[in-house]
């Protein structure tokens, strides 16, 4: 799957098969399917950081997430799940098409203060409570653990023929994950999941790790957004909705027939000279892992 956008981030819906070519590990591939605006069911997991860097922005994040689901969910067709995380990961709601359950799950998401927290991102010393480990987790952020667990456990239960996406709301500052960022990326790739990151933190006390959030989005075929207001946050969700709906599908049978589990790099290039002049932005997954099985199984990207 891929999307094409102009310099104003508007979807370009007039591409033809002869306008592009696809390469796997640098070798051109023969395309046998090219479709526009593929409208698959959606399986969307919304991951919400509830650590102290999100204290002031969490109400806006929850409101934008609710508005997104109300706009994107189609009864009997799409499904979504809600996950919150600090140093630990909590499944607030598994995949469901029931909008009311999703609203209630978002409502349950709340800021988790660590021991000694007095507000504004400030933690002072004091006698820790008996549940010390829980307080350590409350005061930390395990972003990559949350992405890995969602890809490995939650998305494995998603509808088989659905378009899978993770929407990650966080500042990108991971402090305690057991898995590395690259491990989380690879697990999302194996789950065929796009990751859309929305980099948002407390503008008074916390910055946003734009580099990390851009990397995890670009390598899974999603996009990274860095809103500075509630309006821009809602615009980011609206753009994600358009991306998930307005897309192309390319299918090809890889010239490399080995089913050896290796990673194959994907490139989609514009070859139409007139379109190249327009500097269109193509967004797609950077690659895939070859799966075992009978030879000649088509790879879809």
């Amino acid at each position: 799957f891929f999307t094409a956008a102009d310099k104003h981030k508007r979807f370009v819906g007039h591409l033809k098969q002869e306008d592009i070519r696809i390469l796997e590990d640098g070798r051109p591939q023969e395309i046998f399917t090219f479709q526009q605006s593929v409208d698959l069911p959606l399986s969307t997991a919304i991951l919400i950081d509830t650590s102290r860097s999100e204290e002031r922005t969490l109400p806006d994040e929850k409101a934008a997430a609710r508005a997104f689901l109300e706009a994107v969910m189609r009864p009997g067709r799409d499904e979504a799940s809600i996950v919150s995380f600090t140093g630990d990961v909590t499944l607030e709601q598994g995949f469901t098409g029931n909008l009311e359950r999703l609203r209630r799950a978002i409502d349950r998401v709340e800021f988790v203060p660590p021991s000694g927290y007095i507000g504004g991102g400030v933690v002072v010393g004091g006698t820790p409570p008996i549940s010390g480990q829980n307080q350590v987790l409350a005061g930390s952020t395990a972003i990559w653990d949350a992405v890995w667990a969602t890809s490995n456990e939650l998305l494995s239960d998603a509808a088989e023929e659905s378009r899978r996406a993770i929407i990650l709301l966080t500042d990108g500052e991971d402090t305690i994950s057991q898995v590395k960022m690259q491990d989380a990326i690879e697990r999302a790739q194996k789950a065929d999941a796009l990751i859309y990151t929305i980099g948002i933190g407390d503008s008074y006390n916390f910055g946003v790790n734009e580099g990390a959030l851009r990397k995890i989005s670009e390598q899974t075929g999603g996009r990274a957004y860095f809103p500075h207001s509630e309006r821009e946050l809602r615009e980011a969700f609206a753009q994600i909705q358009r991306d998930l709906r307005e897309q192309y599908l390319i299918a090809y049978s890889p010239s490399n027939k080995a089913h050896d589990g290796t990673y194959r790099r994907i490139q989609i290039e514009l070859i139409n000279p007139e379109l190249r002049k327009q500097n269109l932005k193509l967004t797609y997954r950077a690659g895939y892992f070859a799966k075992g099985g009978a030879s000649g199984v088509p790879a879809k990207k």
Side-chain angles (χ1 to χ4, degrees):
F1 290 95
F2 77 96
T3 61
D6 62 18
K7 62 183 180 180
H8 301 294
K9 298 184 179 181
R10 293 176 302 206
F11 177 70
V12 176
H14 54 74
L15 298 188
K16 300 179 178 61
Q17 181 172 326
E18 54 267 28
D19 294 329
I20 61 99
R21 70 170 180 167
I22 188 165
L23 300 94
E24 180 175 298
D25 290 337
R27 299 182 183 88
Q29 304 293 311
E30 183 177 351
I31 298 171
F32 64 75
T33 296
F34 184 91
Q35 298 176 19
Q36 180 183 343
S37 300
V38 179
D39 191 18
L40 291 177
L42 301 178
S43 295
T44 307
I46 299 180
L47 276 60
I48 305 175
D49 183 346
T50 57
S51 61
R52 66 178 182 266
S53 60
E54 308 301 311
E55 180 186 9
R56 302 188 188 190
T57 57
L58 188 57
D60 288 347
E61 293 172 38
K62 292 168 61 174
R66 279 192 295 267
F68 169 80
L69 290 174
E70 289 165 359
V72 79
M73 294 285 291
R74 296 167 298 180
R77 188 160 173 79
D78 301 315
E79 60 181 5
S81 60
I82 308 297
V83 175
S84 64
F85 66 94
T86 51
D88 207 354
V89 184
T90 301
L91 177 61
E92 305 286 354
Q93 173 62 57
F95 276 115
T96 180
N98 187 309
L99 191 55
E100 187 54 40
R101 289 182 184 174
L102 292 165
R103 289 194 192 101
R104 289 198 298 266
I106 292 173
D107 289 342
R108 286 196 301 270
V109 174
E110 58 185 23
F111 162 61
V112 182
S115 177
Y117 186 73
I118 61 173
V122 179
V123 179
V124 297
T127 304
I130 295 174
S131 56
Q133 178 62 22
N134 290 337
Q135 288 299 323
V136 168
L137 293 174
S140 55
T141 312
I143 302 170
W144 316 134
D145 285 355
V147 171
W148 193 95
T150 299
S151 301
N152 188 60
E153 300 169 21
L154 191 58
L155 288 174
S156 63
D157 294 328
E160 189 67 28
E161 295 299 324
S162 66
R163 192 81 177 101
R164 301 177 180 185
I166 292 173
I167 300 177
L168 175 63
L169 293 106
T170 181
D171 62 359
E173 295 293 347
D174 188 291
T175 63
I176 201 173
S177 279
Q178 299 298 301
V179 303
K180 295 185 181 349
M181 178 172 64
Q182 191 59 41
D183 296 328
I185 291 172
E186 291 182 4
R187 199 66 198 82
Q189 290 170 334
K190 289 177 179 177
D192 289 331
L194 303 165
I195 298 180
Y196 290 91
T197 57
I198 299 180
I200 187 167
D202 186 327
S203 59
Y204 294 97
N205 299 296
F206 296 88
V208 172
N209 187 338
E210 294 191 12
L213 297 180
R214 289 187 194 281
K215 181 177 180 180
I216 197 169
S217 291
E218 290 172 359
Q219 293 198 15
T220 59
R223 291 203 219 187
Y225 299 88
F226 303 100
H228 297 290
S229 66
E230 181 184 358
R231 178 183 60 81
E232 291 183 2
L233 175 60
R234 289 179 179 270
E235 287 175 355
F237 270 105
Q239 181 63 56
I240 292 170
Q241 178 189 347
R242 288 191 293 271
D243 272 10
L244 292 173
R245 297 288 186 214
E246 299 169 340
Q247 55 194 347
Y248 294 91
L249 169 68
I250 299 175
Y252 68 94
S253 183
S255 57
N256 180 355
K257 300 300 183 184
H259 291 259
D260 51 9
T262 58
Y263 185 72
R264 312 284 177 82
R265 296 196 176 278
I266 298 295
Q267 290 173 273
I268 303 175
E269 298 179 343
L270 285 170
I271 57 175
N272 181 319
E274 292 303 314
L275 292 175
R276 288 173 67 93
K277 292 178 184 178
Q278 298 177 29
N279 293 319
L280 302 183
K281 169 70 172 176
L282 304 185
T283 303
Y284 54 90
R285 282 177 56 188
Y288 72 101
F289 288 89
K291 297 178 181 179
S295 62
V297 176
K300 292 185 179 181
K301 288 286 142 290

